[in-house]
Amino acid sequence: MTKDGETVLRTRGMRRAVTALAVAAAAAMAVPAQASAQPTPPPVPEGIPVEMLASFAPAIIGAAAGTEDIAAGPQDAILDQARNLLEAPGIPPELKSTLERVITFLDGSGGGGPEIPQENAPVIAQFLYPTIGKGCIGEGADSVGTALAVPGPAQLPPPGPKAGQAGFVFTALGTSSVAAEQPNPLTVTWINLDNQRRATQNLTNEAKINPDGPATLSAIADTGPGRVLAVVSGGLTTQKEGAAPITCSFLPTVGMFQVA
């Protein structure tokens, strides 16, 4: 919805227990009436180690930052990392399922990402797991961070990704509004496995999403068509009126989706 010319995304309340990590920004977005129904985000049951899920994010960042031809094998390194995690002893079934989705997405055997969106029906690709920002709400109060991607063409996030583009949205639940200065900005690092495009972009407040909080940042990327892997990570600074700014960091979270 819009309010005084600004786009507003609604969010549900933030719970601090890990069992509440299923709260998702996708469910918070005010999707236009003609859009498809919002998907149910994948839950992260109690006991799933977010740190373990985040541990293969550096492989994706390294592949996106590299200069080698993607066809020469960077996705193989990411596959190896996911398979190594899959072989860890005592891996919970839910985590095993998540890693298997990553592997089938990377090796092209099917699954993993949403369907390519049709006209006037954007598909929201929720990242694989919510993340945690220690002390992002205040002393001893952590924030649950949720990230999603919207393959274009779509209207959200503003000004809307076109065909061959993807929009990214990150929401830090329970936080105040975004501070003017971001000394350690949140970034999205993405790599298109099929056309070799890659980049790291800052997530910004330019779209004025949730201007009164919770802090919500976005970016639009020229990914081109193909399978895209993305990692959102970095810091966030928020500031409530009359209070000192709060700076915190979020563990990396990983997304994967298809762009038309």
Side-chain angles (χ1 to χ4, degrees), residues 18 22 33 51 57 60 73 81 89 113 133 136 147 156 168 176 190 192 216-217 219 230 234 236 243 248-249 255:
V18 175
E51 290 83 358
I60 300 173
Q81 182 70 31
C136 285
L156 295 172
F168 296 96
S176 302
W190 56 266
N192 188 317
T216 303
L217 304 173
L236 174 65
C248 62
S249 296

Side-chain angles (χ1 to χ4, degrees), residues 44-229:
V44 181
E46 187 172 3
I48 294 298
V50 174
E51 290 83 358
M52 186 175 183
L53 280 166
S55 66
F56 68 93
I60 300 173
I61 294 173
T67 58
E68 69 275 20
D69 187 340
I70 291 177
Q75 64 263 49
D76 290 338
I78 303 170
L79 270 168
D80 288 343
Q81 182 70 31
R83 287 171 176 149
N84 287 338
L85 287 172
L86 193 60
E87 294 172 1
I91 184 172
E94 296 86 354
L95 180 53
K96 181 177 180 180
S97 175
T98 296
L99 291 171
E100 287 172 343
R101 288 176 57 207
V102 173
I103 291 169
T104 58
F105 182 81
L106 292 174
D107 66 14
S109 61
E115 296 179 358
I116 297 175
Q118 303 299 316
E119 185 177 358
N120 295 325
V123 173
I124 296 174
Q126 182 73 27
F127 274 44
L128 290 177
Y129 52 92
T131 181
I132 297 175
K134 296 293 185 181
C136 285
I137 298 175
E139 185 68 28
D142 303 336
S143 171
V144 173
T146 60
L148 57 86
V150 183
Q155 297 181 24
L156 295 172
K162 301 175 183 177
Q165 295 183 323
F168 296 96
V169 180
F170 182 91
T171 301
L173 301 176
T175 60
S176 302
S177 56
V178 179
E181 299 294 329
Q182 296 292 316
N184 177 30
L186 274 168
T187 63
V188 56
T189 295
W190 56 266
I191 180 171
N192 188 317
L193 298 174
D194 298 317
N195 66 16
Q196 305 187 25
R197 294 187 189 179
R198 66 194 98 187
T200 294
Q201 300 176 222
N202 287 348
L203 295 169
T204 74
N205 191 34
E206 291 180 7
K208 304 299 181 185
I209 302 171
N210 288 336
D212 299 323
T216 303
L217 304 173
S218 64
I220 293 178
D222 290 318
T223 62
R227 294 171 299 153
V228 178
L229 275 170

